[in-house]
Amino acid sequence: MHGAWKCMKNKQQGFALPITLIILSLLTVLAMGLSQLARQDTKKIQNQQYRLNDELSLKSTNQWVLYQLLSGVPDKNTKQNGRFILSVDNRPIKHQQTTLQVQDAAGLMGLYLYDARKFEKLLMQLTDKQQAIKVAAQLKDWIDKDSRASYQGMEIAAYRNTNQAMLPRNGPIRSLDELLELPAMTRELYNGTDKKIGLRDLLLAGGVSDFNIATAPDVLLAAMLNISAKQTAQIQNLKSTKNWRQIRQMTAKMPIFFDSSPLGQAYQYRVILTLPSGVKARSLLQLTPSKEKPYQFKQWQYPDNDRG
């Protein structure tokens, strides 16, 4: 009897051992899974903290730019604040660890009052003729209120037939990113490449009516002033030597400057900020005559990655 009980006890112990090992294995796997999740959560929190710190740093620099714009005196392509001179022609400058580019809005092409001929002339310098004609025509049809398609353009029916994600607004665009909805638009044309500037750095969804030759990228001159390649080269040379007097004389009879100066800044500025890590932000600042609130942040994009 005693021998039988001892044998039964040994069998139970032998049966319990594999179960114990299985349970231990499951607990080990579970612990490893929980440990992996904890590491992922920790990394996610760290990334969020880094991103928050980056944004705070960029916003701090943006505030510094705002101070310079508010207190500086406009002079062609700069804002002068005592001995400090801030370039407003998109020239890269350093402030602490941040690289920033401040661009006077009068040196860009605004799309609120869309001129298809000017836009097409600009596109001709950035891409081939066929794509230039298509993009300019499609943007015209995107903005205008009628349902008649322009030559090489597209209206609502064509967008529906080709299952496009968005239909034409039939009104002024609210964001430059809407250009990416045009079937003929490409990421390279919109964002630019290492060798060629992109449309998003040359345009504003709204914009201003004046044009400042001193702060405008050279690629905009021919389109905005409706001048020949020879005249464009002359103005580029005058800009490089800061011969502002000759520029005034050369442009005195141009219709675009009928009631404005060819070297006057607007009260709106686009700012691109870049950290050493490559993280970017983009803002649009509006100065106002109001003493209570002398400025407006019209736009803040962070992070400012390539679109499309």
Side-chain angles (χ1 to χ4, degrees):
M1 183 69 178
H2 179 71
W5 169 254
K6 187 176 181 179
C7 182
M8 184 181 297
K9 187 176 180 180
N10 289 338
K11 286 182 179 180
Q12 288 175 343
Q13 289 176 342
F15 179 72
L17 182 61
I19 295 178
T20 302
L21 292 175
I22 291 171
I23 292 173
L24 288 173
S25 298
L26 291 174
L27 289 174
T28 302
V29 172
L30 181 60
M32 291 175 62
L34 291 173
S35 177
Q36 178 66 21
L37 288 174
R39 285 196 295 270
Q40 290 175 352
D41 287 342
T42 301
K43 188 174 181 180
K44 185 177 180 181
I45 292 171
Q46 287 177 339
N47 289 338
Q48 289 175 340
Q49 186 63 49
Y50 293 148
R51 181 168 173 169
L52 177 60
N53 290 340
D54 285 345
E55 185 171 15
L56 289 174
S57 176
L58 291 168
K59 281 189 172 181
S60 176
T61 303
N62 199 49
Q63 289 285 349
W64 178 83
V65 172
L66 174 62
Y67 168 75
Q68 299 299 334
L69 293 174
L70 286 169
S71 57
V73 178
D75 182 29
K76 303 171 188 68
N77 62 346
T78 65
K79 277 272 193 170
Q80 299 189 18
N81 185 10
R83 294 184 178 181
F84 180 77
I85 298 177
L86 177 69
S87 298
V88 294
D89 55 4
N90 210 46
R91 195 175 311 172
I93 60 175
K94 279 275 190 180
H95 175 67
Q96 296 177 351
Q97 296 298 313
T98 304
T99 300
L100 55 96
Q101 297 162 266
V102 183
Q103 173 65 62
D104 165 35
L108 298 173
M109 179 183 287
L111 297 180
Y112 182 75
L113 299 175
Y114 178 63
D115 188 321
R117 289 175 297 178
K118 287 183 179 180
F119 190 47
E120 184 179 309
K121 192 166 185 177
L122 168 62
L123 289 167
M124 291 285 191
Q125 301 176 73
L126 303 176
T127 186
D128 61 82
K129 182 177 179 180
Q130 185 178 12
Q131 186 182 19
I133 293 173
K134 284 184 177 181
V135 171
Q138 288 174 7
L139 181 56
K140 178 180 180 299
D141 289 340
W142 184 275
I143 292 173
D144 66 28
K145 295 183 179 180
D146 63 52
S147 57
R148 298 186 302 275
S150 306
Y151 172 70
Q152 296 287 356
M154 289 177 64
E155 281 291 353
I156 289 179
Y159 279 82
R160 285 176 174 157
N161 290 339
T162 53
N163 296 319
Q164 297 296 318
M166 284 184 64
L167 299 179
R169 183 177 292 282
N170 289 339
I173 66 171
R174 299 177 185 174
S175 167
L176 283 181
D177 288 353
E178 287 184 41
L179 296 180
L180 290 165
E181 302 300 330
L182 304 177
M185 182 61 67
T186 61
R187 292 183 74 254
E188 292 74 21
L189 179 57
Y190 183 72
N191 293 305
T193 64
D194 293 338
K195 297 181 179 180
K196 191 172 291 186
I197 193 169
L199 287 173
R200 69 188 300 246
D201 289 333
L202 298 171
L203 307 173
L204 286 176
V208 297
S209 57
D210 297 339
F211 185 65
N212 185 355
I213 292 175
T215 61
D218 287 345
V219 71
L220 279 177
L221 296 175
M224 293 297 294
L225 302 179
N226 193 26
I227 55 178
S228 65
K230 182 179 179 180
Q231 290 173 306
T232 301
Q234 288 176 329
I235 290 181
Q236 288 173 347
N237 182 58
L238 293 173
K239 280 183 63 178
S240 66
T241 57
K242 297 185 178 180
N243 192 338
W244 310 121
R245 182 171 176 272
Q246 189 64 31
I247 286 178
R248 284 193 179 95
Q249 292 178 353
M250 185 175 175
T251 59
K253 295 183 179 180
M254 290 184 180
I256 190 174
F257 301 121
F258 177 73
D259 59 355
S260 63
S261 167
L263 303 172
Q265 294 179 28
Y267 290 95
Q268 193 176 109
Y269 298 86
R270 185 197 66 203
V271 185
I272 300 174
L273 309 109
T274 309
L275 293 174
S277 62
V279 175
K280 290 185 177 184
R282 182 176 298 226
S283 71
L284 188 63
L285 307 175
Q286 174 79 47
L287 307 185
T288 73
S290 170
K291 291 183 179 180
E292 290 75 20
K293 191 172 184 181
Y295 64 89
Q296 286 182 316
F297 289 110
K298 298 181 70 70
Q299 184 184 55
W300 174 258
Q301 290 181 329
Y302 170 81
D304 184 44
N305 300 324
D306 284 353
R307 301 294 197 266

